[in-house]
Amino acid sequence: MHTKVYVSEDRSKILVLFYEAACVFSNFYPAGFTASALPNLVMKFENEKEEEKKKLTFKCSEQYFMYHKALLVGDEEIAEQILNESNPMKMKLLGRKLTMSKEQLYQWSKLSKDVMYNACLQKFSNDEKCRKTLFRTHGMKLVEASPTDKIWGVGLDKNDKRCEDERTWRGTNWLGEVLDKVRDELWERNEFKNERELIEKEMFISKNQYKKFVLFYKSECVFSNFYPVEFTASPIQEFTNDSRIKKVLTFNCSEQYFMYHKALLVGDEGIAEKILNETDPKKMKMWGRRLEMREQHLQQWSKMSRGIMYCACLAKFSKDASCRKTLFRTHGMKLVDASPEDRIWGIGLDKNDKRCEDERTWRRTNWLGEVLDRVRDELWERKEFKNERELIEKESLETRCQLLEQFPSGAA
């Protein structure tokens, strides 16, 4: 992937970050087009040639841009070299070789943005494939994440977190602004009406996939505590004085870890052992509910249960790569336990209930969703999972949502 899409938590802002030459939005991208030179710059030549009025063939928008820079200076030799060049980087270097007076530098600073606009307008109006890609960013903001360019770009690499906030950009993003303007103009042209309508249909589908919430509940869902994932962990020390505390135990799901610790809190070794030997998560839950808890135990459990659930989920997702990858795909989203019966760990609503879409209409607290968000965000920052994180970052938001739908996660 040559772009990185950032979506704000409230979905009010979507930034498309790009930079590499292989990206369609780059001026180095090989997209040939024909265009006439801008008349006001052609006149800069002392002896204007008739052929300059004819349409010329450009291999990329960088060539168009640098050619016009040479026209402004009146350097016919370099202009010709730029036209005959096939390497965009060499075109750029030829443009940098131009000797410009203070007046010409001032003129170029005033005209360059318009020249770039015309370069991109010609490129995208002539190339259907490029145009469709540009149209797919409708409603988004294009950002040239060049770490070295503080005029046309933002002076930051696309993996730099500062790209996500315009207030922390180090450059002006002129190229991004130009591309947004070109896209919006072409979007309104009648000649591209059919393309626009096709993209609008795609966007309607995609809009439903760009989820603010990932709703889950069923036991076949990877986010459920009933989901079968084997992992090893030592019991939390403060829950028992048993010599087994030094041992590493094997749990077959996070529900088992959770209920086992509930039994340890009460001090019921018999039920703790039954929970450890059980394979059915529903029966583990049932054993946990059978525990006789005094008022003191209830108070302790209400204070400590979320911390135990966090440890359970942290152990589960840190040990299982498949589960972790699915969890990572929810980065930037909010996980929601859409349990219609559970009003503590869930929200007390079925995932098909429209009220799930608005936190203000939830019937309860979503503790499990909050724990999972916290676990995901901690694992996301761990160096040991850097490669996994980078792979997920390369996936578009649309791809991530589609994969979440396809994976047996019960997510909606």
Side-chain angles (χ1 to χ4, degrees):
M1 296 291 290
H2 303 294
T3 59
K4 181 178 178 181
V5 179
Y6 166 73
V7 185
S8 63
E9 191 173 341
D10 61 1
R11 296 297 186 269
S12 63
K13 177 175 69 177
I14 302 177
L15 305 179
V16 180
L17 311 171
F18 68 92
Y19 175 53
E20 289 92 343
C23 174
V24 69
F25 306 126
S26 168
N27 287 320
F28 282 18
Y29 187 81
F33 59 90
T34 56
S36 297
L38 296 174
N40 58 327
L41 292 180
V42 171
M43 293 301 291
K44 295 291 176 182
F45 282 132
E46 290 181 6
N47 299 312
E48 180 188 355
K49 298 177 182 178
E50 188 64 29
E51 55 263 30
E52 294 295 348
K53 296 179 181 178
K54 297 177 183 178
K55 285 197 172 184
L56 302 170
T57 299
F58 298 94
K59 300 176 184 70
C60 59
S61 47
E62 184 71 22
Q63 189 174 40
Y64 180 103
F65 185 70
M66 288 301 172
Y67 175 71
H68 280 82
K69 186 178 182 182
L71 293 189
L72 175 80
V73 176
D75 193 322
E76 295 185 52
E77 184 181 346
I78 288 185
E80 195 65 30
Q81 287 177 23
I82 291 169
L83 267 187
N84 294 328
E85 186 53 67
S86 58
N87 186 321
M89 180 54 75
K90 290 182 180 178
M91 299 170 194
K92 191 181 190 82
L93 292 174
L94 284 166
R96 285 179 175 175
K97 281 185 179 180
L98 290 163
T99 303
M100 302 181 78
S101 64
K102 285 186 178 179
E103 183 186 352
Q104 288 168 340
L105 285 167
Y106 176 76
Q107 286 179 308
W108 187 240
S109 69
K110 294 291 183 184
L111 290 167
S112 60
K113 208 170 179 182
D114 289 335
V115 175
M116 184 64 79
Y117 172 76
N118 279 287
C120 294
L121 188 68
Q122 295 296 335
K123 167 184 172 178
F124 288 99
S125 61
N126 281 281
D127 192 293
E128 182 182 349
K129 183 180 176 182
C130 292
R131 187 170 58 251
K132 283 183 176 178
T133 304
L134 182 67
F135 278 179
R136 287 190 174 96
T137 69
H138 186 68
M140 307 177 194
K141 189 180 183 75
L142 283 154
V143 180
E144 189 192 18
S146 166
T148 54
D149 196 330
K150 295 183 181 181
I151 297 174
W152 296 100
V154 295
L156 297 167
D157 182 83
K158 66 181 178 182
N159 294 313
D160 192 314
K161 295 291 282 183
R162 289 175 292 175
C163 282
E164 298 170 6
D165 188 342
E166 291 94 324
R167 294 171 297 181
T168 55
W169 289 355
R170 298 172 63 208
T172 54
N173 191 40
W174 274 11
L175 181 56
E177 290 178 0
V178 164
L179 288 168
D180 286 344
K181 184 180 174 185
V182 166
R183 177 196 60 218
D184 295 345
E185 177 174 327
L186 297 179
W187 184 265
E188 296 301 325
R189 287 191 185 179
N190 285 331
E191 63 192 289
F192 305 131
K193 181 183 176 183
N194 291 339
E195 290 177 21
R196 184 177 69 237
E197 289 176 348
L198 285 171
I199 299 298
E200 283 175 333
K201 286 179 182 177
E202 287 181 9
M203 290 170 69
F204 176 77
I205 295 168
S206 296
K207 189 178 179 182
N208 293 325
Q209 294 170 333
Y210 291 159
K211 300 182 185 303
K212 181 178 180 180
F213 301 132
V214 178
L215 310 173
F216 67 92
Y217 172 52
K218 295 179 179 179
S219 59
E220 63 265 25
C221 166
V222 71
F223 307 126
S224 167
N225 286 321
F226 283 16
Y227 188 80
V229 177
E230 188 174 287
F231 60 91
T232 56
S234 296
I236 299 171
Q237 287 189 3
E238 62 190 285
F239 279 78
T240 182
N241 294 317
D242 195 288
S243 60
R244 289 178 300 172
I245 190 65
K246 296 177 182 178
K247 294 182 180 179
V248 174
L249 301 174
T250 300
F251 299 92
N252 53 48
C253 62
S254 48
E255 184 70 22
Q256 189 176 43
Y257 181 104
F258 185 69
M259 288 302 171
Y260 174 71
H261 279 82
K262 187 178 182 181
L264 292 187
L265 176 76
V266 175
D268 193 323
E269 292 187 30
I271 288 184
E273 198 65 33
K274 286 177 181 178
I275 291 169
L276 265 187
N277 294 327
E278 188 53 69
T279 56
D280 185 344
K282 287 183 180 179
K283 290 182 180 178
M284 297 169 195
K285 194 180 190 83
M286 179 195 71
W287 284 117
R289 286 179 173 174
R290 284 189 182 181
L291 289 163
E292 293 182 8
M293 302 184 77
R294 297 194 300 271
E295 185 64 29
Q296 180 187 359
H297 292 142
L298 288 169
Q299 288 178 3
Q300 286 180 304
W301 187 243
S302 67
K303 289 179 181 178
M304 303 180 79
S305 58
R306 264 206 280 190
I308 297 163
M309 184 64 78
Y310 172 77
C311 290
C313 294
L314 188 67
K316 167 184 171 179
F317 287 98
S318 62
K319 300 284 174 67
D320 192 285
S322 177
C323 291
R324 188 170 56 251
K325 196 172 182 180
T326 304
L327 182 67
F328 278 0
R329 285 198 170 100
T330 70
H331 186 66
M333 307 177 197
K334 190 179 182 74
L335 282 152
V336 181
D337 181 12
S339 166
E341 296 91 18
D342 195 332
R343 297 191 182 186
I344 297 176
W345 296 99
I347 59 172
L349 296 168
D350 182 85
K351 67 180 182 179
N352 295 313
D353 192 313
K354 281 288 185 182
R355 289 175 292 174
C356 286
E357 298 172 7
D358 189 339
E359 291 175 73
R360 295 170 299 181
T361 56
W362 291 354
R363 297 171 68 197
R364 277 301 181 266
T365 54
N366 189 41
W367 276 9
L368 180 56
E370 290 177 0
V371 164
L372 288 168
D373 286 345
R374 184 183 162 200
V375 166
R376 176 198 61 217
D377 295 345
E378 176 173 328
L379 296 179
W380 183 266
E381 296 301 326
R382 286 192 186 179
K383 289 183 179 179
E384 64 194 287
F385 305 131
K386 181 184 175 184
N387 292 340
E388 292 178 19
R389 183 178 70 239
E390 289 177 347
L391 285 172
I392 298 298
E393 284 176 332
K394 288 178 182 177
E395 296 176 354
S396 68
L397 182 59
E398 181 179 357
T399 298
R400 284 164 55 198
C401 290
Q402 287 173 344
L403 289 168
L404 282 169
E405 292 282 0
Q406 293 166 10
F407 193 87
S409 63

